[in-house]
Amino acid sequence: MPLRLRIAAIIFLIGTGITVLTTWQAVRTSLEASEPQLTRNESMLLEMLQEISINAALTGEFIELSPFMDRLREDPDILRGMLANQDDRIVISTDPEMVGKPLPKRIDTDSTYWRVRDIQAANERLGLLAIEFSTSGIERLEQDAWLRGAIVVGGGVLLSLILAIFGAYAAVGRLVALNRITRDIANGNTLVSPVIPGNDEIGDLSIS
């Protein structure tokens, strides 16, 4: 393999390797920061609904929760939201057909997970707020992070290829010229100028 290609390959592999490693670390860091943020958002939502649910349970005006249940119903990452009374009977839900029925079993699966809050006032249990989330939110975060990482890697590979080509040419170009001159002189072509401009070792070698 010509020296120029070998140098280009080395530059390309080093550049690509650095790009992949740094991007992978950046993606992992992004995911580690995003997942706790998602959990905090869920906790804030539950705390807000918990306060409203306490007031509704004390007054018996559960209709006040209807606008909030409508918002939960529109959230693609929420499968079900419900409020149960002291007897664990659902009094309001994102699914109207569940009203009056017992609370369902809250078992996490590979695709869903539950978040619950007790509804209580003055140490008296008034009911339970339960929301079933889809893991699609977490999966979407992961997909977006890896997609951004793939784009960065693609750009890094292209940049590495460009740097490899021009870097190899800059590093070996004058050496190739010196080799060509030497070959011409060895073949009897005495009209060729043996001097290569420059103050580096190749320039000195061409003069000598």
Side-chain angles (χ1 to χ4, degrees):
M1 178 185 293
L3 180 60
R4 182 178 295 178
L5 289 180
R6 278 183 282 178
I7 292 178
I10 292 172
I11 295 174
F12 176 75
L13 291 175
I14 292 175
T16 300
I18 292 174
T19 299
V20 170
L21 289 175
T22 54
T23 302
W24 181 84
Q25 183 60 42
V27 168
R28 295 305 308 169
T29 301
S30 175
L31 288 175
E32 290 172 359
S34 298
E35 291 179 8
Q37 181 61 47
L38 182 63
T39 301
R40 285 193 293 271
N41 292 341
E42 293 172 354
S43 297
M44 290 174 61
L45 172 63
L46 285 163
E47 289 171 6
M48 179 193 70
L49 291 176
Q50 184 181 29
E51 291 297 323
I52 300 171
S53 298
I54 291 173
N55 294 331
L58 289 172
T59 61
E61 298 293 335
F62 297 106
I63 193 67
E64 297 178 358
L65 288 171
S66 294
F68 299 97
M69 289 295 167
D70 291 339
R71 294 178 189 175
L72 295 183
R73 191 181 300 113
E74 295 171 357
D75 192 324
D77 298 329
I78 294 177
L79 300 178
R80 290 184 289 180
M82 61 201 73
L83 175 65
N85 59 18
Q86 293 170 313
D87 300 324
D88 287 339
R89 290 279 175 178
I90 298 173
V91 293
I92 191 168
S93 170
T94 54
D95 182 1
E97 294 183 359
M98 298 183 67
V99 175
K101 296 180 179 180
L103 273 173
K105 292 182 179 180
R106 297 173 300 281
I107 301 175
D108 294 346
T109 66
D110 292 337
S111 58
T112 64
Y113 59 97
W114 288 88
R115 294 286 185 264
V116 298
R117 289 289 188 277
D118 283 325
I119 306 302
Q120 58 183 21
N123 296 325
E124 179 184 359
R125 183 179 181 276
L126 303 176
L128 184 73
L129 173 68
I131 299 179
E132 184 180 19
F133 289 90
S134 169
T135 57
S136 59
I138 298 174
E139 292 170 356
R140 190 166 55 252
L141 284 174
E142 294 177 348
Q143 291 172 357
D144 290 345
W146 287 114
L147 177 59
R148 290 194 300 270
I151 293 173
V152 172
V153 168
V157 169
L158 180 60
L159 180 60
S160 296
L161 180 60
I162 294 173
L163 291 176
I165 294 172
F166 284 96
Y169 180 83
V172 186
R174 302 180 74 246
L175 184 60
V176 170
L178 178 61
N179 180 64
R180 186 181 302 113
I181 292 171
T182 304
R183 189 184 307 112
D184 288 341
I185 294 175
N187 291 333
N189 184 3
T190 57
L191 298 179
V192 66
S193 173
V195 179
I196 298 177
N199 297 322
D200 55 9
E201 292 82 354
I202 295 177
D204 295 340
L205 184 61
S206 67
I207 295 175
S208 59

